[in-house]
Amino acid sequence: MASSNTITVTLGQIAKMIDHSLLHPTMTDADILEGLRISKKYNVATACVKPYLIPMAKNELDGTDVLVCPVIGFPHGNSTTDVKVYEATAAAQAGGKEIDMVINIGKALGGDWDYVKTEIEAINKAVTQNGAILKVIFENDYLQEEHIIRLCEICSELDVAFVKTSTGYGFVKQPNGQYSYKGATVPHLALMRKHSKPGVQVKAAGGVRTLDDLLHVMSLGVTRIGATATIAIMEDAAKRGITSEPTTVEFKPIAGESSGGY
């Protein structure tokens, strides 16, 4: 499907691809309320929020089918497993229906797969026992392909709901001293889809900022994106004639490895 650069979609399918990201550390309550208004207006899949905002998000989204998606161990994944389990349990019990957690990146890079698997398993159990589902964030910018493949295999063994590329905040220091970020790339998304079993969905975060980007990753088998550009994406979809009826549209493929950020 990707090679033809066309895809058949509805406006509702596009909206339900989006986790509207409200995660920047400088966002005020007023900013969050505006983001939740956008989430409701476009009827996206979830509003992705920091844990202290769960009550506000739950209240503002009441009566809609937009879910609350808190993040835990975010953005660096460095808390102890016990703390992550506590945070995930509290988030689910407070009304979070989808929980995005960050793996212990250093343990993955060091090949301590028993630690990584045990942690993901404990958090997944805590989340599902409290009526939510888990998305596992890898932070691909820090990883090699072999790490990504092994993480997909572990998440498949544990039946997590989603594997996710990035936090949106995993800036990597380059040899020149500058920090940059690729986020979701086409090769990594294809790799994650290939090595995750069919029941494990793939979420792309970082670098998916346009309708064309969304349609391209959808054609790869991605079923969710993290985005701040929700308004631009949805307005472009309407301009291009996408409606509630299945519409076949062309998309411009993502060129190379775009720099990251939501």
Side-chain angles (χ1 to χ4, degrees):
M1 197 187 307
S3 61
S4 68
N5 297 340
T6 63
I7 192 168
T8 301
V9 292
T10 67
L11 202 60
Q13 284 175 321
I14 291 172
K16 290 304 183 188
M17 277 279 290
I18 298 172
D19 286 347
H20 187 57
S21 176
L22 302 171
L23 298 173
H24 197 280
T26 64
M27 294 186 85
T28 64
D29 285 3
D31 296 327
I32 299 300
L33 287 169
E34 175 61 15
L36 294 170
R37 185 193 67 78
I38 292 165
S39 302
K40 286 191 288 187
K41 177 179 178 180
Y42 293 104
N43 197 31
V44 297
T46 78
C48 203
V49 299
K50 292 164 280 190
Y52 75 91
L53 292 163
I54 296 170
M56 178 192 290
K58 185 179 177 184
N59 181 65
E60 291 297 316
L61 297 173
D62 187 44
T64 77
D65 63 353
V66 179
L67 301 179
V68 179
C69 175
V71 293
I72 67 156
F74 193 91
H76 296 131
N78 294 328
S79 301
T80 65
T81 297
D82 285 348
V83 168
K84 286 182 179 177
V85 169
Y86 178 86
E87 189 177 19
T89 302
Q93 290 178 348
K97 293 301 180 184
E98 298 188 2
I99 311 292
D100 288 20
M101 61 81 68
V102 187
I103 67 159
N104 187 304
I105 298 161
K107 285 292 191 181
L109 287 170
D112 192 347
W113 296 114
D114 286 342
Y115 183 103
V116 173
K117 182 176 182 179
T118 299
E119 179 171 271
I120 295 172
E121 184 173 26
I123 297 166
N124 191 47
K125 182 178 179 182
V127 164
T128 55
Q129 284 182 342
N130 285 283
I133 64 170
L134 183 66
K135 304 193 197 85
V136 178
I137 306 173
F138 295 178
E139 203 66 281
N140 287 348
D141 272 55
Y142 292 119
L143 307 176
Q144 301 300 314
E145 285 193 1
E146 61 263 29
H147 303 120
I148 296 169
I149 291 170
R150 185 69 189 107
L151 285 165
C152 289
E153 292 170 347
I154 287 171
C155 289
S156 295
E157 291 165 18
L158 297 175
D159 289 316
V160 303
F162 282 84
V163 291
K164 177 179 170 182
T165 59
S166 324
T167 62
Y169 299 93
F171 294 92
V172 180
K173 191 173 186 179
Q174 304 302 316
N176 64 2
Q178 303 259 323
Y179 285 84
S180 68
Y181 185 60
K182 294 174 183 174
T185 67
V186 169
H188 281 166
L189 291 168
L191 191 73
M192 291 168 75
R193 184 61 278 163
K194 178 181 178 182
H195 291 280
S196 300
K197 70 180 185 182
V200 176
Q201 299 180 68
V202 178
K203 176 177 173 180
V208 183
R209 293 187 290 271
T210 67
L211 175 63
D212 286 304
D213 293 345
L214 181 151
L215 296 174
H216 189 176
V217 301
M218 182 186 276
S219 78
L220 300 172
V222 172
T223 50
R224 197 73 64 82
I225 69 162
T228 56
T230 299
I231 296 173
I233 290 170
M234 296 303 295
E235 287 185 349
D236 193 18
K239 285 178 187 174
R240 287 163 67 171
I242 299 172
T243 67
S244 58
E245 296 299 317
T247 311
T248 300
V249 290
E250 293 187 10
F251 60 84
K252 181 181 178 182
I254 297 170
E257 295 188 342
S258 62
S259 60
Y262 273 122

